[in-house]
Amino acid sequence: MNSIEHLKLLAEYNQWMNQKLYTSASQLSEEQLKADQGAFFGSLFGTLNHLAVADTIWLKRIAYHPACATLLSELTNIPAPNRLDTLFYTDLRALQEYRVWLDRLIIRFVDDLPVEVLNDEMSYANMKGIQSTRNLYALLTHVFNHQTHHRGQATTLLYQMGIDPGSTDLLNLIPDTQPD
């Protein structure tokens, strides 16, 4: 598996897991969704919102890379969040619609990303304005890893509320190459 195939697998996993989380979350009342459970972003809703915010922040940063600008041009009209807990939407349905759109954008972006740019360095400023320059492939891997980190928290919150989202393993999406 090459680096682009790896990113495509992670993008597919991201979409699959987000669908599972939102399906599970839709079984909860608004009070349950927004109840502070002591997570980094308080509630399950806060965690799901943070994932959308963080992905938007990172994709908008990546869009400044010359090879990525056109691929991520759909983000142009999305305001850049200025906080990691910026509230994008106040209800689950609207947040889910944004998440579905964002996941499709991520898949298209990775599908069309030229493999040769993965070794490029990319400069960006973090939320505090501190400049960094890092490898693009490593940054993309970070984006997917960050999603997995917080989705793990979200599944724990769901379990605590009596909802089992089912298997969450990446292994579910890795094709079995054993001959029949």
Side-chain angles (χ1 to χ4, degrees), residues 37-93:
Q37 294 182 278
F40 285 151
F41 293 92
S43 64
L44 176 59
F45 188 85
T47 301
L48 296 174
N49 180 75
H50 168 69
L51 279 165
V53 167
D55 287 353
T56 302
I57 289 167
W58 274 108
L59 291 172
K60 286 184 82 62
R61 288 174 183 162
I62 293 166
Y64 283 104
H65 185 287
C68 301
T70 302
L71 300 175
L72 294 171
S73 63
E74 291 178 61
L75 283 170
T76 304
N77 294 327
I78 304 292
N82 57 5
R83 294 175 45 101
L84 295 174
D85 62 353
T86 297
L87 188 61
F88 270 170
Y89 298 95
T90 58
D91 66 281
L92 186 65
R93 181 175 298 275

Side-chain angles (χ1 to χ4, degrees), residues 7-66:
L7 292 174
K8 287 179 181 182
L9 175 65
L10 294 176
E12 182 182 343
Y13 174 69
N14 171 61
Q15 181 182 52
W16 179 71
M17 275 304 304
N18 284 328
Q19 288 170 347
K20 289 172 72 83
L21 286 179
Y22 279 88
T23 297
S24 296
S26 69
Q27 298 173 48
L28 299 169
S29 68
E30 185 162 343
E31 293 77 28
Q32 290 172 304
L33 275 171
K34 295 182 178 178
D36 189 339
Q37 294 182 278
F40 285 151
F41 293 92
S43 64
L44 176 59
F45 188 85
T47 301
L48 296 174
N49 180 75
H50 168 69
L51 279 165
V53 167
D55 287 353
T56 302
I57 289 167
W58 274 108
L59 291 172
K60 286 184 82 62
R61 288 174 183 162
I62 293 166
Y64 283 104
H65 185 287

